[in-house]
Amino acid sequence: MAIAHQIIEEKHGGTIDCYSQISKGTGCIISLPLGNSDAKNYE
């Protein structure tokens, strides 16, 4: 989860939202911005 946080939030300006329900499990929603001028361009 720490590596995902570094890549998604710090490098790409996105967010990770996690939720949990007893006896149903845990899920995460990953959101990435489109056209973020602050994100680094990797080729």
Side-chain angles (χ1 to χ4, degrees):
M1 201 62 172
I3 293 171
H5 176 270
Q6 181 181 14
I7 293 169
I8 294 165
E9 294 190 8
E10 294 177 13
K11 291 188 178 180
H12 296 290
T15 60
I16 302 172
D17 296 308
C18 295
Y19 56 90
S20 182
Q21 293 181 340
I22 296 173
S23 300
K24 295 205 177 220
T26 301
C28 294
I29 299 172
I30 297 171
S31 300
L32 295 170
L34 295 175
N36 186 350
S37 61
D38 294 332
K40 295 179 181 177
N41 291 323
Y42 293 97
E43 294 182 16

